[in-house]
Amino acid sequence: MRFGGVLVVVWLIIGAVASYQRGYFSGDTNVNCAEFGTVLLTVVAGPLNYLGVNPQIDCTLPQPSQ
């Protein structure tokens, strides 16, 4: 049980490092759904980022009706 928890934490830290290396934490205050989702997915993908995985999300929200 303890090993699994440590493994998950290390996995997420590696994903955060990959996100940082890609410049996702540049300090831009205007973040949209796609940027937030891409950063989150990159962190969750963890070490897979170094195997060529480049997760990206395209958020298209419906327009409000008139």
Side-chain angles (χ1 to χ4, degrees):
M1 185 70 171
R2 179 176 278 173
F3 176 73
V6 171
L7 184 64
V8 168
V9 169
V10 170
W11 183 278
L12 294 175
I13 289 172
I14 292 171
V17 169
S19 296
Y20 176 76
Q21 289 175 340
R22 290 183 179 172
Y24 292 155
F25 301 124
S26 64
D28 186 14
T29 58
N30 188 13
V31 178
N32 61 21
C33 172
E35 291 175 12
F36 178 76
T38 299
V39 171
L40 186 64
L41 192 57
T42 301
V43 170
V44 171
L48 298 177
N49 290 294
Y50 296 106
L51 297 176
V53 175
N54 188 13
Q56 294 187 358
I57 292 182
D58 181 27
C59 292
T60 53
L61 300 175
Q63 297 297 320
S65 61
Q66 303 245 348

